[in-house]
Amino acid sequence: MNPVTAFTIIMLIWAISDFVSKKTKSLISSLLVASIIFLVGFKTNIFPEDLLTSSSLLALGQTVVGFIIVHIGTMISLDELKKQWKTVLIGVAAVLGITAFLFLIGSLFLDENFVIAAIGAISGGTISVIIVQESALASGLVLVAVFPVLIAAFQGLIGFPLTSLILRKEANRLKGEYRAGHLKVEKAEVHHDEAKTMLPKALQTTAGTLFIVGVVVMLSIYIDTITNGVLNTFVVALLFGIALRAFGIIKPNILSGIDAYGLMMLAILIIIFGPLATSSVDDLVALIGPLCIAFAVGVSGSVVLSATMGKILGYSISMSIAIGLTTLYGFPGTMILSQEAARSVGENEQEIAAIEGQILPKMIIAGFSAVTITSVVLTSILAEFIH
């Protein structure tokens, strides 16, 4: 297919997907809408099989995965993690719960490769899915590569309504605490460090920023190579991002605001749709059963371990479970659900502020930091065992 035509079609698909997601307040994710459009298009031959490769976005996405991971690292504040250390531990427990339940129970019904793919997809976001896909496709396992795409597409439909119910229960509990005089009114805010960097002005341009991040990714690849993969490129890139932000060498959210960031993110997302082009309808239908099993077992593991850890640390059961469920979605879902729960239960501005002040910081840290770090590291390790 003509590259310009392919690129234009993909942009139209993503524009439609974003529109639906915004209209439904992210209940229906853009990933789900795009997956359906690509599936229908490929299986009805409306889209040629080479649509993604012809657009050049696939090649771009594979090139800049490391750049995005460094960026994710710079989004993580060590100070915020320290303040919300209990939340971090509950988030980690949720990911470990998903892993343990899928290995212990899920493996009774699913092949080990599908178990690993499910762990990566349910416990994390796009980057974890890409890590799994890379290993699966390297082993010629196309269905294993498709499996996490389907999980990622349907996560929001399960996570949003379930979390909404649980957060409303927590909000009601907090309202009682507030009325009993045990909560003070605090305006919930998401704190971000001031943009600071040691880099000279000449390297704070789009090209300069991409050069610096590119050097970090190259160093990550080198470390992966000399350690024979023991220190995975993606894990090293994530840790570099966290450390470079912490020491003020590069600013928080390093890629935000540069001209290339939006296109890079689109290219990253396009990667995960690649295996859909070569999968048959029968293969996809055959994945419905494993998909249901993976969600049932994985979410159960998240609920059990996050609730247990929360109980040990003094959090309520409902707050702990809600933190664990952030594995099924990310920002801005964590913010939207927290605000909606507070507004649906609070009867005046003071109550709403008090409730939101307790829920929102925990949800943001859980989804933005704790789960991201744990999932990327764990998925990178487990993906080595796909064969």
Side-chain angles (χ1 to χ4, degrees), residues 111-352:
D111 176 79
E112 182 181 285
N113 292 323
F114 283 96
V115 168
I116 294 173
I119 290 170
I122 295 175
S123 70
T126 304
I127 297 300
S128 295
V129 171
I130 291 173
I131 292 171
V132 170
Q133 282 190 331
E134 188 178 78
S135 292
L137 293 175
S139 300
L141 303 172
V142 177
L143 272 189
V144 176
V146 170
F147 191 49
V149 181
L150 299 181
I151 291 175
F154 286 98
Q155 279 180 317
L157 287 179
I158 294 173
F160 279 121
L162 190 55
T163 305
S164 180
L165 289 173
I166 292 170
L167 279 183
R168 290 189 184 196
K169 180 179 179 181
E170 174 66 6
N172 273 308
R173 185 189 73 79
L174 290 170
K175 182 169 73 172
E177 291 283 309
Y178 173 75
R179 292 184 174 182
H182 299 151
L183 287 183
K184 61 180 180 179
V185 178
E186 293 180 355
K187 185 178 180 180
E189 296 179 355
V190 181
H191 297 284
H192 297 286
D193 294 345
E194 289 184 12
K196 57 181 180 178
T197 175
M198 294 182 183
L199 298 178
K201 289 287 185 181
L203 292 178
Q204 294 181 38
T205 61
T206 294
T209 298
L210 292 176
F211 166 72
I212 293 298
V213 177
V215 169
V216 174
V217 176
M218 288 170 62
L219 184 57
S220 302
I221 294 171
Y222 176 71
I223 292 173
D224 183 308
T225 302
I226 63 175
T227 61
N228 292 319
V230 173
L231 295 176
N232 182 275
T233 297
F234 295 147
V235 174
V236 175
L238 180 70
L239 296 177
F240 267 138
I242 296 171
L244 291 172
R245 167 184 167 150
F247 288 107
I249 297 173
I250 57 179
K251 66 181 181 180
N253 304 294
I254 183 67
L255 295 181
S256 293
I258 70 168
D259 297 335
Y261 179 60
L263 184 60
M264 290 170 71
M265 281 304 301
L266 281 174
I268 288 290
L269 292 167
I270 290 301
I271 292 177
I272 68 175
F273 299 118
L276 295 178
T278 56
S279 304
S280 70
V281 175
D282 289 341
D283 286 338
L284 295 172
V285 171
L287 290 177
I288 294 175
L291 186 69
C292 295
I293 292 170
F295 271 125
V297 176
V299 173
S300 295
S302 170
V303 169
V304 171
L305 261 75
S306 59
T308 302
M309 180 60 76
K311 185 71 174 176
I312 293 171
L313 296 174
Y315 276 25
S316 69
I317 297 297
S318 52
M319 188 70 252
S320 302
I321 292 174
I323 289 170
L325 289 175
T326 59
T327 59
L328 297 175
Y329 52 89
F331 187 87
T334 47
M335 181 178 71
I336 292 170
L337 291 173
S338 299
Q339 292 174 338
E340 287 183 346
R343 290 168 185 164
S344 67
V345 171
E347 296 181 11
N348 54 58
E349 289 301 317
Q350 288 74 29
E351 281 189 352
I352 292 172

